[in-house]
Amino acid sequence: MYLQESDYNIGAESDPETFSQAMSSKESNLWYNVMRDKMDSMASNQVWDLVELPIGVKAIVCRWVFKTKKDPEGNIERHKARLVAKGFTQRE
Protein backbone atom coordinates (compact mmCIF):
# COMPACT_ATOMS: atom_id res chain seq x y z
CA MET A 1 0.00 0.00 0.00
CA TYR A 2 1.31 3.42 -0.92
CA LEU A 3 0.40 6.61 0.88
CA GLN A 4 -0.14 9.59 -1.31
CA GLU A 5 0.26 13.14 -0.14
CA SER A 6 -3.03 14.11 -1.77
CA ASP A 7 -4.88 11.48 0.28
CA TYR A 8 -3.99 13.29 3.48
CA ASN A 9 -4.10 16.89 2.27
CA ILE A 10 -0.55 17.53 3.49
CA GLY A 11 0.34 21.15 2.80
CA ALA A 12 -2.60 21.59 0.45
CA GLU A 13 -4.21 24.33 2.52
CA SER A 14 -1.40 26.79 1.82
CA ASP A 15 0.21 25.69 -1.44
CA PRO A 16 -0.47 27.99 -4.40
CA GLU A 17 -1.83 26.34 -7.52
CA THR A 18 -0.60 28.94 -10.01
CA PHE A 19 2.33 31.29 -10.50
CA SER A 20 -0.01 34.25 -9.89
CA GLN A 21 -1.18 32.82 -6.58
CA ALA A 22 2.42 32.21 -5.50
CA MET A 23 3.46 35.76 -6.38
CA SER A 24 0.47 37.32 -4.59
CA SER A 25 0.82 35.20 -1.43
CA LYS A 26 2.41 36.39 1.79
CA GLU A 27 5.25 33.92 1.07
CA SER A 28 5.94 35.30 -2.41
CA ASN A 29 9.62 35.95 -1.62
CA LEU A 30 10.09 32.30 -0.59
CA TRP A 31 8.34 31.00 -3.72
CA TYR A 32 10.32 33.38 -5.93
CA ASN A 33 13.61 32.21 -4.40
CA VAL A 34 12.84 28.50 -4.85
CA MET A 35 11.78 29.11 -8.47
CA ARG A 36 14.99 31.05 -9.11
CA ASP A 37 17.04 28.26 -7.48
CA LYS A 38 15.30 25.67 -9.67
CA MET A 39 15.94 27.69 -12.83
CA ASP A 40 19.61 28.18 -11.85
CA SER A 41 19.93 24.44 -11.23
CA MET A 42 18.40 23.56 -14.59
CA ALA A 43 20.66 26.07 -16.36
CA SER A 44 23.81 24.77 -14.69
CA ASN A 45 22.80 21.17 -15.55
CA GLN A 46 22.12 22.22 -19.17
CA VAL A 47 18.60 20.81 -19.08
CA TRP A 48 17.66 22.60 -22.29
CA ASP A 49 19.01 24.63 -25.20
CA LEU A 50 17.28 27.89 -26.05
CA VAL A 51 16.49 27.86 -29.77
CA GLU A 52 14.05 29.62 -32.07
CA LEU A 53 10.96 27.51 -32.63
CA PRO A 54 10.43 26.71 -36.32
CA ILE A 55 7.04 27.50 -37.82
CA GLY A 56 4.60 24.60 -37.51
CA VAL A 57 6.49 22.96 -34.62
CA LYS A 58 4.79 22.46 -31.28
CA ALA A 59 6.39 23.95 -28.18
CA ILE A 60 6.10 22.39 -24.76
CA VAL A 61 4.10 24.63 -22.41
CA CYS A 62 5.23 24.56 -18.78
CA ARG A 63 3.74 25.47 -15.43
CA TRP A 64 5.02 25.67 -11.87
CA VAL A 65 3.97 23.21 -9.16
CA PHE A 66 4.45 24.42 -5.59
CA LYS A 67 4.73 22.27 -2.44
CA THR A 68 5.35 23.08 1.19
CA LYS A 69 7.26 20.18 2.73
CA LYS A 70 6.45 19.50 6.38
CA ASP A 71 7.91 17.25 9.04
CA PRO A 72 5.78 14.66 10.92
CA GLU A 73 4.79 17.30 13.50
CA GLY A 74 3.46 19.62 10.78
CA ASN A 75 6.32 22.14 10.92
CA ILE A 76 7.43 23.58 7.59
CA GLU A 77 10.77 22.12 6.52
CA ARG A 78 11.09 23.81 3.11
CA HIS A 79 9.31 25.13 0.07
CA LYS A 80 9.69 23.38 -3.29
CA ALA A 81 8.88 24.44 -6.82
CA ARG A 82 8.97 22.24 -9.91
CA LEU A 83 8.66 23.23 -13.53
CA VAL A 84 6.52 20.63 -15.29
CA ALA A 85 5.27 20.13 -18.84
CA LYS A 86 1.64 21.14 -19.23
CA GLY A 87 0.98 20.47 -22.91
CA PHE A 88 1.81 21.73 -26.37
CA THR A 89 1.19 24.88 -28.34
CA GLN A 90 1.81 25.35 -32.05
CA ARG A 91 3.55 28.34 -33.57
CA GLU A 92 1.75 29.73 -36.59
Side-chain angles (χ1 to χ4, degrees):
M1 180 170 159
Y2 294 95
L3 298 177
Q4 292 189 2
E5 195 170 327
S6 60
D7 293 339
Y8 294 94
N9 202 23
I10 298 172
E13 66 275 354
S14 63
D15 292 341
E17 293 186 21
T18 65
F19 173 81
S20 297
Q21 287 177 359
M23 293 299 96
S24 63
S25 73
K26 63 181 180 176
E27 298 175 322
S28 61
N29 287 337
L30 292 170
W31 293 122
Y32 177 82
N33 289 336
V34 296
M35 286 187 293
R36 188 186 66 225
D37 290 347
K38 180 58 81 173
M39 293 295 288
D40 290 345
S41 173
M42 289 188 290
S44 68
N45 289 314
Q46 300 176 344
V47 171
W48 66 76
D49 293 319
L50 188 59
V51 298
E52 182 152 343
L53 187 65
I55 293 175
V57 174
K58 293 182 179 181
I60 298 171
V61 179
C62 299
R63 69 181 186 95
W64 286 101
V65 175
F66 304 96
K67 277 291 182 202
T68 303
K69 297 296 182 174
K70 297 182 179 182
D71 65 16
E73 288 81 36
N75 301 312
I76 295 175
E77 289 185 330
R78 64 187 171 149
H79 292 77
K80 287 187 73 173
R82 291 185 327 229
L83 190 61
V84 298
K86 182 177 178 181
F88 293 96
T89 184
Q90 188 158 345
R91 181 174 176 202
E92 298 177 11

Coordinates of all heavy atoms in Angstrom, one line a residue:
M1 N 0.8 -1.2 0.0 CA 0.0 0.0 0.0 C 0.9 1.2 0.0 O 1.9 1.3 0.7 CB -0.9 0.0 1.3 CG -1.8 1.2 1.4 SD -2.9 0.9 2.7 CE -3.4 2.5 3.0
Y2 N 0.6 2.2 -0.8 CA 1.3 3.4 -0.9 C 0.5 4.6 -0.4 O -0.7 4.7 -0.7 CB 1.7 3.7 -2.4 CG 2.7 2.7 -2.9 CD1 2.2 1.6 -3.7 CD2 4.0 2.8 -2.7 CE1 3.1 0.7 -4.2 CE2 4.9 1.9 -3.2 CZ 4.4 0.8 -3.9 OH 5.3 -0.1 -4.4
L3 N 1.1 5.4 0.4 CA 0.4 6.6 0.9 C 0.7 7.7 -0.1 O 1.8 7.9 -0.5 CB 0.9 7.0 2.3 CG 0.6 5.9 3.4 CD1 1.3 6.4 4.7 CD2 -0.8 5.7 3.5
Q4 N -0.3 8.5 -0.4 CA -0.1 9.6 -1.3 C -0.4 10.9 -0.5 O -1.4 10.9 0.2 CB -1.1 9.5 -2.5 CG -0.7 8.3 -3.4 CD -1.4 8.4 -4.7 OE1 -2.2 9.3 -5.0 NE2 -1.2 7.4 -5.6
E5 N 0.4 11.9 -0.8 CA 0.3 13.1 -0.1 C -1.1 13.7 -0.3 O -1.7 14.3 0.6 CB 1.3 14.1 -0.7 CG 1.5 15.3 0.1 CD 2.7 16.1 -0.4 OE1 3.7 15.5 -0.9 OE2 2.7 17.3 -0.3
S6 N -1.7 13.6 -1.5 CA -3.0 14.1 -1.8 C -4.1 13.4 -0.9 O -5.1 14.0 -0.7 CB -3.4 14.0 -3.3 OG -3.3 12.6 -3.6
D7 N -3.9 12.2 -0.5 CA -4.9 11.5 0.3 C -5.0 12.1 1.7 O -6.1 12.0 2.3 CB -4.5 10.0 0.4 CG -4.6 9.2 -0.9 OD1 -5.3 9.7 -1.8 OD2 -3.9 8.2 -1.0
Y8 N -4.0 12.7 2.1 CA -4.0 13.3 3.5 C -3.9 14.8 3.5 O -3.8 15.4 4.6 CB -2.8 12.7 4.3 CG -3.1 11.2 4.5 CD1 -2.5 10.3 3.6 CD2 -3.9 10.8 5.5 CE1 -2.7 8.9 3.8 CE2 -4.1 9.4 5.7 CZ -3.5 8.5 4.8 OH -3.8 7.2 5.0
N9 N -4.0 15.4 2.3 CA -4.1 16.9 2.3 C -2.9 17.6 3.0 O -3.1 18.6 3.6 CB -5.4 17.4 2.9 CG -5.8 18.7 2.4 OD1 -5.4 19.2 1.3 ND2 -6.6 19.4 3.1
I10 N -1.7 17.0 2.8 CA -0.5 17.5 3.5 C -0.1 18.8 2.7 O 0.3 18.7 1.6 CB 0.6 16.5 3.5 CG1 0.2 15.3 4.3 CG2 1.9 17.1 4.1 CD1 1.2 14.1 4.2
G11 N -0.1 19.9 3.4 CA 0.3 21.1 2.8 C -0.6 21.8 1.8 O -0.4 22.9 1.3
A12 N -1.7 21.1 1.5 CA -2.6 21.6 0.5 C -3.3 22.9 0.8 O -3.7 23.7 0.0 CB -3.6 20.5 0.1
E13 N -3.5 23.1 2.1 CA -4.2 24.3 2.5 C -3.5 25.6 2.2 O -4.1 26.7 2.1 CB -4.6 24.3 4.0 CG -3.4 24.3 5.0 CD -2.8 23.0 5.2 OE1 -3.3 22.0 4.8 OE2 -1.7 23.0 5.9
S14 N -2.1 25.6 2.0 CA -1.4 26.8 1.8 C -0.6 26.8 0.5 O 0.0 27.8 0.2 CB -0.5 27.0 3.0 OG 0.5 26.0 3.1
D15 N -0.6 25.7 -0.2 CA 0.2 25.7 -1.4 C -0.5 26.4 -2.6 O -1.7 26.0 -2.9 CB 0.5 24.2 -1.9 CG 1.5 23.5 -0.9 OD1 2.1 24.2 -0.1 OD2 1.5 22.3 -0.9
P16 N 0.2 27.3 -3.2 CA -0.5 28.0 -4.4 C -0.6 27.0 -5.6 O 0.2 26.1 -5.7 CB 0.5 29.1 -4.7 CG 1.8 28.8 -4.0 CD 1.5 27.9 -2.9
E17 N -1.6 27.2 -6.4 CA -1.8 26.3 -7.5 C -1.3 27.0 -8.8 O -1.2 26.3 -9.8 CB -3.3 26.0 -7.6 CG -3.8 25.1 -6.5 CD -5.2 24.7 -6.6 OE1 -5.7 24.7 -7.8 OE2 -5.8 24.3 -5.6
T18 N -1.1 28.3 -8.8 CA -0.6 28.9 -10.0 C 0.5 29.9 -9.7 O 0.7 30.2 -8.5 CB -1.7 29.8 -10.7 OG1 -2.1 30.8 -9.8 CG2 -2.9 28.9 -11.0
F19 N 1.3 30.3 -10.7 CA 2.3 31.3 -10.5 C 1.8 32.6 -9.9 O 2.3 33.1 -9.0 CB 3.0 31.6 -11.8 CG 4.0 32.7 -11.8 CD1 5.3 32.5 -11.3 CD2 3.6 34.0 -12.2 CE1 6.2 33.5 -11.3 CE2 4.6 35.0 -12.2 CZ 5.8 34.8 -11.7
S20 N 0.6 33.0 -10.4 CA 0.0 34.3 -9.9 C -0.3 34.2 -8.4 O -0.1 35.1 -7.7 CB -1.3 34.6 -10.7 OG -1.0 34.8 -12.0
Q21 N -0.9 33.0 -8.0 CA -1.2 32.8 -6.6 C 0.1 32.9 -5.7 O 0.1 33.4 -4.7 CB -1.9 31.5 -6.4 CG -3.3 31.5 -6.8 CD -4.0 30.1 -6.6 OE1 -3.4 29.2 -6.2 NE2 -5.3 30.1 -7.0
A22 N 1.2 32.2 -6.2 CA 2.4 32.2 -5.5 C 3.0 33.6 -5.4 O 3.4 34.0 -4.3 CB 3.4 31.3 -6.2
M23 N 2.9 34.4 -6.4 CA 3.5 35.8 -6.4 C 2.6 36.7 -5.6 O 3.1 37.8 -5.2 CB 3.7 36.3 -7.8 CG 4.8 35.5 -8.6 SD 6.4 35.6 -7.8 CE 6.5 34.1 -6.8
S24 N 1.3 36.4 -5.4 CA 0.5 37.3 -4.6 C 0.3 36.8 -3.2 O -0.4 37.5 -2.4 CB -0.9 37.5 -5.3 OG -1.6 36.2 -5.3
S25 N 0.9 35.7 -2.8 CA 0.8 35.2 -1.4 C 1.8 35.9 -0.5 O 2.7 36.6 -0.9 CB 1.1 33.7 -1.4 OG 2.5 33.5 -1.6
K26 N 1.5 35.8 0.8 CA 2.4 36.4 1.8 C 3.8 35.8 1.8 O 4.8 36.4 2.3 CB 1.8 36.3 3.2 CG 1.6 34.9 3.7 CD 1.0 34.9 5.1 CE 0.9 33.4 5.5 NZ 0.3 33.3 6.8
E27 N 4.0 34.6 1.2 CA 5.2 33.9 1.1 C 5.9 34.1 -0.3 O 6.7 33.3 -0.7 CB 5.1 32.4 1.4 CG 4.6 32.2 2.8 CD 4.3 30.7 3.1 OE1 3.8 30.0 2.2 OE2 4.6 30.3 4.2
S28 N 5.5 35.1 -1.0 CA 5.9 35.3 -2.4 C 7.5 35.3 -2.5 O 8.0 34.8 -3.5 CB 5.3 36.6 -3.0 OG 5.7 37.7 -2.3
N29 N 8.1 35.9 -1.6 CA 9.6 35.9 -1.6 C 10.2 34.5 -1.5 O 11.1 34.2 -2.2 CB 10.2 36.8 -0.5 CG 10.0 38.3 -0.7 OD1 9.8 38.7 -1.9 ND2 10.0 39.1 0.3
L30 N 9.6 33.7 -0.7 CA 10.1 32.3 -0.6 C 9.9 31.6 -1.9 O 10.7 30.9 -2.4 CB 9.4 31.6 0.6 CG 9.7 32.1 2.0 CD1 8.7 31.4 3.0 CD2 11.1 31.7 2.3
W31 N 8.7 31.7 -2.5 CA 8.3 31.0 -3.7 C 9.2 31.5 -4.8 O 9.7 30.7 -5.7 CB 6.9 31.2 -4.1 CG 5.9 30.5 -3.1 CD1 4.9 31.0 -2.4 CD2 5.9 29.1 -2.8 NE1 4.3 30.1 -1.7 CE2 4.9 28.9 -1.9 CE3 6.7 28.0 -3.2 CZ2 4.6 27.6 -1.3 CZ3 6.4 26.7 -2.7 CH2 5.4 26.6 -1.7
Y32 N 9.5 32.8 -4.9 CA 10.3 33.4 -5.9 C 11.7 32.8 -5.8 O 12.3 32.4 -6.8 CB 10.4 34.9 -5.8 CG 11.3 35.5 -6.8 CD1 10.9 35.8 -8.1 CD2 12.6 35.9 -6.5 CE1 11.7 36.3 -9.1 CE2 13.5 36.5 -7.4 CZ 13.0 36.7 -8.7 OH 13.9 37.2 -9.6
N33 N 12.3 32.7 -4.6 CA 13.6 32.2 -4.4 C 13.7 30.7 -4.8 O 14.7 30.3 -5.4 CB 14.0 32.4 -3.0 CG 14.3 33.9 -2.6 OD1 14.6 34.7 -3.5 ND2 14.2 34.2 -1.4
V34 N 12.7 29.9 -4.5 CA 12.8 28.5 -4.9 C 12.7 28.3 -6.4 O 13.3 27.5 -6.9 CB 11.9 27.6 -4.1 CG1 12.2 27.6 -2.6 CG2 10.4 27.9 -4.3
M35 N 11.9 29.2 -7.0 CA 11.8 29.1 -8.5 C 13.1 29.5 -9.1 O 13.6 28.9 -10.0 CB 10.7 30.0 -9.0 CG 9.3 29.5 -8.7 SD 8.0 30.4 -9.5 CE 8.1 31.9 -8.6
R36 N 13.7 30.6 -8.6 CA 15.0 31.0 -9.1 C 16.1 30.0 -8.9 O 16.8 29.7 -9.8 CB 15.4 32.3 -8.4 CG 16.7 33.0 -9.1 CD 17.2 34.2 -8.3 NE 17.7 33.7 -7.0 CZ 17.5 34.3 -5.9 NH1 16.7 35.4 -5.8 NH2 17.9 33.8 -4.8
D37 N 16.1 29.3 -7.7 CA 17.0 28.3 -7.5 C 16.8 27.1 -8.5 O 17.8 26.5 -9.0 CB 16.9 27.7 -6.0 CG 17.4 28.7 -5.0 OD1 18.1 29.7 -5.4 OD2 17.1 28.6 -3.8
K38 N 15.6 26.8 -8.7 CA 15.3 25.7 -9.7 C 15.8 26.0 -11.1 O 16.4 25.2 -11.8 CB 13.8 25.3 -9.7 CG 13.4 24.2 -10.6 CD 14.1 22.9 -10.3 CE 13.5 22.2 -9.2 NZ 14.1 20.8 -9.1
M39 N 15.5 27.3 -11.5 CA 15.9 27.7 -12.8 C 17.5 27.7 -12.9 O 18.0 27.3 -13.9 CB 15.4 29.1 -13.2 CG 13.9 29.1 -13.3 SD 13.3 28.1 -14.7 CE 13.8 29.2 -16.1
D40 N 18.1 28.2 -11.9 CA 19.6 28.2 -11.8 C 20.2 26.8 -11.9 O 21.1 26.5 -12.6 CB 20.1 28.9 -10.6 CG 19.9 30.4 -10.6 OD1 19.6 30.9 -11.6 OD2 20.0 31.0 -9.5
S41 N 19.5 25.8 -11.2 CA 19.9 24.4 -11.2 C 19.8 23.8 -12.6 O 20.7 23.1 -13.1 CB 19.1 23.6 -10.2 OG 19.4 22.3 -10.3
M42 N 18.6 24.1 -13.3 CA 18.4 23.6 -14.6 C 19.4 24.2 -15.6 O 19.9 23.5 -16.5 CB 16.9 23.8 -15.0 CG 16.0 22.9 -14.3 SD 14.3 23.0 -14.9 CE 13.8 24.6 -14.4
A43 N 19.7 25.4 -15.5 CA 20.7 26.1 -16.4 C 22.1 25.5 -16.2 O 22.7 25.2 -17.2 CB 20.7 27.6 -16.1
S44 N 22.5 25.3 -14.9 CA 23.8 24.8 -14.7 C 23.9 23.3 -15.1 O 25.0 22.8 -15.5 CB 24.2 24.9 -13.2 OG 23.4 24.1 -12.4
N45 N 22.8 22.6 -15.1 CA 22.8 21.2 -15.6 C 22.5 21.0 -17.0 O 22.3 19.9 -17.5 CB 21.8 20.4 -14.7 CG 22.3 20.1 -13.3 OD1 23.4 19.8 -13.1 ND2 21.4 20.4 -12.4
Q46 N 22.4 22.2 -17.7 CA 22.1 22.2 -19.2 C 20.9 21.3 -19.6 O 21.0 20.5 -20.4 CB 23.4 21.8 -20.0 CG 24.5 22.7 -19.7 CD 25.8 22.3 -20.4 OE1 25.9 21.2 -20.8 NE2 26.8 23.2 -20.4
V47 N 19.8 21.6 -18.9 CA 18.6 20.8 -19.1 C 18.0 21.1 -20.5 O 17.4 20.2 -21.1 CB 17.6 21.1 -18.0 CG1 16.2 20.5 -18.3 CG2 18.1 20.6 -16.6
W48 N 18.2 22.3 -21.0 CA 17.7 22.6 -22.3 C 18.6 23.5 -23.0 O 19.5 24.1 -22.5 CB 16.3 23.3 -22.2 CG 16.3 24.6 -21.5 CD1 16.8 25.8 -22.0 CD2 16.0 24.9 -20.2 NE1 16.7 26.8 -21.1 CE2 16.2 26.3 -20.0 CE3 15.5 24.1 -19.1 CZ2 15.9 26.9 -18.7 CZ3 15.2 24.8 -17.9 CH2 15.4 26.1 -17.7
D49 N 18.3 23.6 -24.3 CA 19.0 24.6 -25.2 C 17.9 25.6 -25.7 O 16.9 25.2 -26.1 CB 19.6 24.0 -26.4 CG 20.8 23.1 -26.1 OD1 21.6 23.5 -25.2 OD2 20.9 22.0 -26.7
L50 N 18.2 26.9 -25.6 CA 17.3 27.9 -26.0 C 17.5 28.1 -27.5 O 18.5 28.5 -28.0 CB 17.5 29.2 -25.3 CG 16.5 30.3 -25.5 CD1 15.1 29.9 -25.1 CD2 16.9 31.5 -24.7
V51 N 16.4 27.7 -28.3 CA 16.5 27.9 -29.8 C 15.2 28.5 -30.3 O 14.2 28.6 -29.6 CB 16.6 26.5 -30.5 CG1 17.9 25.8 -30.0 CG2 15.5 25.6 -30.1
E52 N 15.3 29.0 -31.5 CA 14.0 29.6 -32.1 C 13.2 28.5 -32.6 O 13.6 27.5 -33.2 CB 14.4 30.5 -33.2 CG 13.2 31.2 -33.8 CD 13.4 32.5 -34.4 OE1 14.5 33.1 -34.1 OE2 12.6 33.0 -35.2
L53 N 11.9 28.6 -32.3 CA 11.0 27.5 -32.6 C 10.6 27.7 -34.1 O 10.1 28.7 -34.5 CB 9.7 27.6 -31.8 CG 8.7 26.5 -31.9 CD1 9.3 25.2 -31.4 CD2 7.4 26.8 -31.1
P54 N 10.8 26.6 -34.9 CA 10.4 26.7 -36.3 C 8.9 26.8 -36.5 O 8.2 26.3 -35.6 CB 11.0 25.4 -36.9 CG 12.0 24.9 -36.0 CD 11.5 25.4 -34.6
I55 N 8.5 27.4 -37.5 CA 7.0 27.5 -37.8 C 6.5 26.1 -38.0 O 7.0 25.2 -38.7 CB 6.8 28.4 -39.1 CG1 7.2 29.8 -38.8 CG2 5.3 28.3 -39.5 CD1 7.2 30.8 -39.9
G56 N 5.3 25.9 -37.4 CA 4.6 24.6 -37.5 C 5.0 23.6 -36.5 O 4.5 22.5 -36.4
V57 N 6.0 23.9 -35.6 CA 6.5 23.0 -34.6 C 5.8 23.3 -33.3 O 5.7 24.5 -32.9 CB 8.0 23.0 -34.5 CG1 8.5 22.2 -33.3 CG2 8.7 22.6 -35.8
K58 N 5.4 22.3 -32.6 CA 4.8 22.5 -31.3 C 5.8 22.7 -30.2 O 6.8 22.0 -30.1 CB 3.9 21.2 -30.9 CG 2.7 21.1 -31.8 CD 1.9 19.9 -31.4 CE 0.7 19.7 -32.3 NZ -0.1 18.6 -31.9
A59 N 5.5 23.7 -29.3 CA 6.4 24.0 -28.2 C 5.8 23.3 -26.9 O 4.5 23.2 -26.9 CB 6.5 25.5 -28.0
I60 N 6.6 22.9 -26.0 CA 6.1 22.4 -24.8 C 5.8 23.6 -23.8 O 6.6 24.4 -23.6 CB 7.1 21.5 -24.1 CG1 7.5 20.3 -25.0 CG2 6.7 21.0 -22.7 CD1 8.6 19.5 -24.6
V61 N 4.5 23.6 -23.3 CA 4.1 24.6 -22.4 C 4.4 24.1 -21.0 O 4.1 22.9 -20.7 CB 2.6 24.9 -22.6 CG1 2.1 26.0 -21.6 CG2 2.3 25.4 -24.0
C62 N 4.9 25.0 -20.1 CA 5.2 24.6 -18.8 C 4.4 25.3 -17.8 O 3.8 26.4 -18.1 CB 6.7 24.8 -18.5 SG 7.8 23.9 -19.6
R63 N 4.4 24.8 -16.6 CA 3.7 25.5 -15.4 C 4.5 25.1 -14.2 O 5.2 24.1 -14.1 CB 2.3 25.1 -15.3 CG 2.0 23.7 -14.8 CD 0.5 23.4 -14.7 NE 0.3 22.1 -14.2 CZ 0.1 21.8 -12.9 NH1 0.0 22.8 -12.0 NH2 -0.1 20.6 -12.5
W64 N 4.4 25.9 -13.2 CA 5.0 25.7 -11.9 C 4.1 24.9 -11.0 O 2.9 25.1 -10.9 CB 5.4 27.0 -11.2 CG 6.6 27.7 -11.9 CD1 6.5 28.7 -12.7 CD2 7.9 27.3 -11.7 NE1 7.8 29.0 -13.1 CE2 8.7 28.2 -12.5 CE3 8.6 26.4 -10.9 CZ2 10.1 28.2 -12.5 CZ3 10.0 26.3 -11.0 CH2 10.7 27.2 -11.8
V65 N 4.7 23.9 -10.2 CA 4.0 23.2 -9.2 C 4.7 23.5 -7.8 O 5.9 23.4 -7.7 CB 4.0 21.7 -9.4 CG1 3.4 20.9 -8.3 CG2 3.3 21.4 -10.7
F66 N 3.9 24.0 -6.9 CA 4.4 24.4 -5.6 C 4.1 23.5 -4.5 O 2.9 23.0 -4.4 CB 3.9 25.8 -5.3 CG 4.2 26.8 -6.3 CD1 3.3 27.1 -7.3 CD2 5.4 27.4 -6.4 CE1 3.5 28.1 -8.3 CE2 5.7 28.4 -7.4 CZ 4.8 28.7 -8.3
K67 N 5.0 23.1 -3.6 CA 4.7 22.3 -2.4 C 5.4 22.8 -1.2 O 6.6 23.2 -1.3 CB 5.3 20.9 -2.7 CG 4.4 20.0 -3.5 CD 3.2 19.6 -2.7 CE 2.3 18.7 -3.5 NZ 1.0 18.6 -3.1
T68 N 4.7 22.8 -0.1 CA 5.3 23.1 1.2 C 5.6 21.7 1.8 O 4.7 21.0 2.1 CB 4.4 23.9 2.1 OG1 4.1 25.1 1.3 CG2 5.0 24.3 3.4
K69 N 6.9 21.4 2.1 CA 7.3 20.2 2.7 C 7.2 20.4 4.2 O 7.8 21.3 4.8 CB 8.6 19.7 2.2 CG 8.7 19.4 0.8 CD 7.8 18.3 0.4 CE 7.8 17.9 -1.0 NZ 7.1 16.7 -1.3
K70 N 6.6 19.4 4.9 CA 6.4 19.5 6.4 C 7.0 18.2 7.0 O 7.0 17.2 6.4 CB 5.0 19.7 6.8 CG 4.4 21.0 6.2 CD 3.0 21.2 6.7 CE 2.4 22.5 6.2 NZ 1.1 22.8 6.6
D71 N 7.4 18.4 8.3 CA 7.9 17.2 9.0 C 6.7 16.5 9.7 O 5.6 17.0 9.5 CB 8.9 17.7 10.1 CG 8.4 18.6 11.2 OD1 7.2 18.7 11.3 OD2 9.2 19.2 11.9
P72 N 6.9 15.4 10.3 CA 5.8 14.7 10.9 C 4.9 15.5 11.9 O 3.8 15.2 12.1 CB 6.5 13.5 11.6 CG 7.7 13.3 10.8 CD 8.2 14.7 10.4
E73 N 5.5 16.5 12.5 CA 4.8 17.3 13.5 C 4.0 18.4 12.8 O 3.3 19.2 13.5 CB 5.7 17.9 14.5 CG 6.3 16.9 15.5 CD 7.4 16.1 15.0 OE1 8.3 16.6 14.2 OE2 7.5 14.9 15.3
G74 N 4.2 18.6 11.5 CA 3.5 19.6 10.8 C 4.2 20.9 10.6 O 3.7 21.9 10.1
N75 N 5.5 20.9 11.1 CA 6.3 22.1 10.9 C 6.9 22.2 9.5 O 7.3 21.2 8.9 CB 7.5 22.1 11.9 CG 7.0 22.0 13.3 OD1 6.1 22.8 13.7 ND2 7.6 21.1 14.1
I76 N 6.9 23.4 9.0 CA 7.4 23.6 7.6 C 8.9 23.3 7.6 O 9.7 23.9 8.3 CB 7.1 25.0 7.1 CG1 5.6 25.2 6.9 CG2 7.8 25.2 5.7 CD1 5.2 26.6 6.5
E77 N 9.4 22.4 6.7 CA 10.8 22.1 6.5 C 11.4 23.0 5.4 O 12.5 23.5 5.5 CB 11.0 20.6 6.2 CG 10.8 19.7 7.4 CD 11.1 18.3 7.1 OE1 11.0 17.9 5.9 OE2 11.5 17.6 8.0
R78 N 10.6 23.0 4.3 CA 11.1 23.8 3.1 C 10.0 24.0 2.1 O 8.9 23.3 2.2 CB 12.3 23.1 2.4 CG 11.9 21.8 1.9 CD 13.1 21.1 1.4 NE 12.8 19.7 1.0 CZ 13.3 19.0 0.1 NH1 14.3 19.5 -0.6 NH2 12.9 17.8 -0.2
H79 N 10.2 24.9 1.2 CA 9.3 25.1 0.1 C 10.0 24.6 -1.2 O 11.2 24.7 -1.4 CB 9.0 26.6 -0.1 CG 8.3 27.2 1.0 ND1 8.8 27.5 2.2 CD2 7.0 27.6 1.1 CE1 7.9 28.0 3.0 NE2 6.7 28.1 2.3
K80 N 9.2 23.9 -2.0 CA 9.7 23.4 -3.3 C 8.9 23.9 -4.5 O 7.7 24.1 -4.3 CB 9.6 21.9 -3.3 CG 10.6 21.2 -2.4 CD 10.6 19.7 -2.5 CE 11.2 19.3 -3.8 NZ 11.3 17.9 -4.0
A81 N 9.5 24.1 -5.6 CA 8.9 24.4 -6.8 C 9.5 23.6 -7.9 O 10.7 23.3 -8.0 CB 9.1 25.9 -7.1
R82 N 8.6 23.0 -8.8 CA 9.0 22.2 -9.9 C 8.4 22.8 -11.2 O 7.2 23.3 -11.2 CB 8.5 20.8 -9.8 CG 9.1 20.0 -8.7 CD 8.6 18.6 -8.8 NE 7.2 18.5 -9.2 CZ 6.2 17.8 -8.6 NH1 6.5 17.1 -7.6 NH2 5.0 17.9 -9.1
L83 N 9.1 22.8 -12.2 CA 8.7 23.2 -13.5 C 8.3 22.0 -14.3 O 9.1 21.1 -14.5 CB 9.7 24.0 -14.3 CG 9.3 24.7 -15.5 CD1 8.2 25.8 -15.3 CD2 10.5 25.4 -16.2
V84 N 7.0 21.9 -14.6 CA 6.5 20.6 -15.3 C 5.9 21.0 -16.6 O 5.4 22.1 -16.9 CB 5.5 19.9 -14.4 CG1 6.2 19.4 -13.1 CG2 4.3 20.7 -14.1
A85 N 5.9 20.0 -17.5 CA 5.3 20.1 -18.8 C 3.8 20.1 -18.7 O 3.2 19.3 -17.9 CB 5.7 19.0 -19.8
K86 N 3.1 21.0 -19.3 CA 1.6 21.1 -19.2 C 1.0 20.6 -20.5 O -0.1 20.1 -20.5 CB 1.3 22.6 -19.0 CG -0.2 22.9 -18.8 CD -0.4 24.3 -18.5 CE -1.9 24.6 -18.4 NZ -2.1 26.0 -18.1
G87 N 1.6 20.9 -21.6 CA 1.0 20.5 -22.9 C 1.8 21.1 -24.1 O 2.9 21.4 -23.9
F88 N 1.1 21.2 -25.2 CA 1.8 21.7 -26.4 C 1.0 22.9 -26.9 O -0.2 23.0 -26.8 CB 1.9 20.7 -27.5 CG 2.7 19.5 -27.1 CD1 2.2 18.4 -26.6 CD2 4.1 19.6 -27.3 CE1 3.0 17.3 -26.2 CE2 4.9 18.5 -27.0 CZ 4.4 17.3 -26.4
T89 N 1.8 23.8 -27.6 CA 1.2 24.9 -28.3 C 1.9 24.9 -29.7 O 3.1 24.6 -29.8 CB 1.3 26.2 -27.6 OG1 0.6 27.2 -28.4 CG2 2.7 26.7 -27.4
Q90 N 1.2 25.3 -30.7 CA 1.8 25.3 -32.0 C 2.0 26.8 -32.5 O 1.2 27.6 -32.4 CB 0.9 24.6 -33.0 CG 1.6 24.5 -34.4 CD 1.0 23.3 -35.2 OE1 0.2 22.5 -34.7 NE2 1.3 23.3 -36.5
R91 N 3.2 27.0 -33.0 CA 3.5 28.3 -33.6 C 3.0 28.4 -35.0 O 3.1 27.5 -35.8 CB 5.1 28.5 -33.6 CG 5.4 29.9 -34.1 CD 6.9 30.1 -34.0 NE 7.2 31.4 -34.7 CZ 8.3 31.8 -35.1 NH1 9.3 31.0 -35.0 NH2 8.5 32.9 -35.7
E92 N 2.3 29.5 -35.3 CA 1.7 29.7 -36.6 C 2.5 30.7 -37.4 O 3.2 31.6 -36.9 CB 0.3 30.2 -36.5 CG -0.5 29.1 -35.8 CD -2.0 29.5 -35.6 OE1 -2.4 30.5 -36.1 OE2 -2.7 28.8 -34.8

